[in-house]
Amino acid sequence: MVYRSPRSMVLPASFLPAATAVIAIAIFIADCLTPPECVVSGLYVVVVLMAGRFCSAPRLWLIAGGCAVMTVLEQFLAHQIALGHEEATNIGAFNSAVIVLAIALSTSLVLRGRSAEAALRQAQTDLAHVSRVTTMGELTASIAHEVNQPIAAVVTNASACLRWLALQTPDLEKAREAATRIVRDGTRAADIISRIRLIFTKGAPQRQAVDINRLVRETIELLNNQASRHGVSIQTDLALGLPRIEADPVQLQQVVVNLIVNGIDAMKDVAGTRQLAVTSRRAEDEQVVVSVSDTGIGLPQQQADQVFNAFFTTKPHGTGMGLSISRSIIEAHRGRFWATPNEPGGAIFTFALPIRAEAVTDSAPAES
């Protein structure tokens, strides 16, 4: 889980450079006014740590070098003040050497920490990409069905258009209508292929304003055929007027795909009603909440708290990474993700995401 400090305790990023400069100057002045044996200049390590949050590597080394120079300069000034006190001067020189070394080590550690964080983010991105590709492999039949529908409609409308034009007196109006339907269905096929390409895309997350209801509907369209093959009906209850959220649509669709596929898998071998429900609503704490519930086998007894752990799975051929990656994605978007039992049977998986600052509402129908 990503820890976030309370807003009141976080210094705005735009103030960091100015605050860092002020602290460095304050340390310099304080160290010049204190005896050599005092190690006020040791606080330059704090300056390096603060600069590490907004500086590139070359600039960070430049700032560290500046701190080291000021440390030596302070020792020289202190020597002038303490002239005749050899012991104090030696202590000041020793302290300065130690502090310069500490500044260099701190800078090196900050840069190493950055490299480790970048490597971790890249590993998480690669793992999420593998999960998407694995999921899409399971959805091949649904993808083929979704793409085939508009292509078949294009062929049908093209044939109709030719028939209207082949009449002794061509019916141009009906031919025009058929051509319009061809354009519409061709555009729909292109949209479907585009969505599939996005799911396969490997790259850095791209945050943008996302209409969560639209994303849910598009995902359900992609999975309708798979649900039908297993006798699962998908119902939606999407709240009207939901604000947009700031998110990566590819990653967010990956989460919704994973939850719906898991729900279908949980119900495909269950006798009785097989109903999957997707709901959305606005919470009081300025968040959009999405829930996916099923009437399947439910959460594993005595192990409900482990479903989000990596490699934990109840599927015979599952990888145990879907829910773990999904939770990481939601938490990376400053959201929450949890699971609860469904009554009388099944499970409910819910995630909440913060509302975008400049929200645009959704006016599409809420029920289906």
Side-chain angles (χ1 to χ4, degrees), residues 172-189:
L172 297 181
E173 184 60 31
K174 290 188 177 180
R176 186 181 296 108
E177 291 177 1
T180 301
R181 290 195 296 271
I182 291 173
V183 173
R184 180 198 63 194
D185 292 326
T187 302
R188 182 186 168 204

Side-chain angles (χ1 to χ4, degrees), residues 78-117:
H79 171 73
Q80 297 300 317
I81 296 173
L83 191 63
H85 300 279
E86 183 177 352
E87 182 179 355
T89 302
N90 290 337
I91 291 174
F94 176 78
N95 288 342
S96 296
V98 171
I99 291 167
V100 169
L101 180 60
I103 291 171
L105 288 175
S106 298
T107 305
S108 178
L109 288 174
V110 168
L111 294 177
R112 285 190 179 187
R114 278 188 186 176
S115 299
E117 289 177 1

Side-chain angles (χ1 to χ4, degrees), residues 273-286:
T273 303
R274 299 176 184 176
Q275 182 172 311
L276 187 141
V278 185
T279 66
S280 67
R281 61 182 175 85
R282 180 171 182 168
E284 294 180 355
D285 53 354
E286 293 303 302

Side-chain angles (χ1 to χ4, degrees), residues 140-161:
T140 302
S142 294
I143 293 170
H145 175 79
E146 290 300 319
V147 175
N148 185 63
Q149 279 187 332
I151 292 177
V154 167
V155 173
T156 300
N157 287 314
S159 299
C161 183

Side-chain angles (χ1 to χ4, degrees), residues 35 135 220 341 346 364:
T135 302
I220 291 174

